Amino acid sequence: MPDMIRVLCLAGGVAGAAGLSQFPEFSQQYLQRLGGQVDELSRQVKEFDATALQDGLGREEMLEAMAAVPLMQGQEAMWRRTISRHTRLSDNLIALRDASPIERMLMPHRMTDTETFQAVWQDFIPAVPVSTAGAAAAGTGFVGGWAIFAALLGMLTTPFRRKKAKAKPAAKGQNTRIKADPPVRRPTPAAQPQSHIRPLSGAKR
């Protein structure tokens, strides 16, 4: 059983290494796609601000004016989502650009845009890591995969180990035999001497 557990932990480590070794390249492609998304959103937001400025309004004033018109309320909600997404992705882009490939491994929360992630995933082709960041990611993935599998297998096998531990004392109790006390030997009474009296030959009867 321990050998099987080690084999499964090794398989988990290899899987973790193979998976995480692709992260540096994936994050680089995500960064490129994210830059394109931010550029497009920036263009849209600038056009919106320019339109509002032509009417003598600021961005928020334009949005409030659109919300006041029933037919424009849908457009107002759409533009608020666009502006919010532009702000969020711009912050993520700056953080990812300033980080090294290894530091990006600690920033998965900066790579949560569904549209960008799906676009990268569709075109991504796994490759053998040849960079220092790829090797470091592979090592981290191996250790992490081993640890995760070891923890999972430990939780799964704990009930069986407990049952086995409880069964051992019971088995010992069944095999223990009570030794019978040796038979008590009672002392045999000493034989009483018999008197052999022979009658005298001249005695009268």
Side-chain angles (χ1 to χ4, degrees), residues 4 32 39 42 45 55 76 97 129 149 154-155 160 167 184 189 195:
M4 179 60 68
Q32 295 175 358
D39 289 343
S42 298
V45 172
D55 296 335
E76 182 262 346
R97 279 179 174 172
F149 264 69
M155 290 189 297
F160 299 99
V184 179
S195 59

Side-chain angles (χ1 to χ4, degrees), residues 184-192:
V184 179
R185 295 183 180 181
R186 296 180 179 178
T188 56
Q192 296 180 358

Side-chain angles (χ1 to χ4, degrees), residues 35-140:
Q37 292 281 355
V38 171
D39 289 343
E40 176 60 23
L41 290 171
S42 298
R43 183 189 63 79
Q44 295 177 12
V45 172
K46 287 180 180 179
E47 289 181 355
F48 180 85
D49 291 342
T51 301
L53 187 61
Q54 290 177 0
D55 296 335
L57 301 174
R59 179 186 298 176
E60 187 61 31
E61 292 175 339
M62 184 67 172
L63 291 171
E64 291 177 356
M66 294 172 68
V69 180
L71 294 178
M72 297 293 293
Q73 290 177 354
Q75 291 291 321
E76 182 262 346
M78 183 271 293
W79 276 110
R80 285 194 181 276
R81 289 194 300 269
T82 300
I83 294 171
S84 177
R85 183 167 181 254
H86 173 257
T87 302
R88 185 180 75 257
L89 296 190
S90 297
D91 292 342
N92 292 342
L93 180 63
I94 294 172
L96 291 172
R97 279 179 174 172
D98 292 341
S100 65
I102 296 178
E103 290 174 339
R104 291 174 196 157
M105 294 173 58
L106 304 176
M107 305 169 66
H109 58 286
R110 297 288 186 178
M111 303 173 60
T112 56
D113 184 66
T114 304
E115 182 177 344
T116 307
F117 190 94
Q118 290 178 347
V120 176
W121 182 258
Q122 289 177 356
D123 297 335
F124 182 73
I125 299 177
V128 177
V130 294
S131 62
T132 302
T140 304

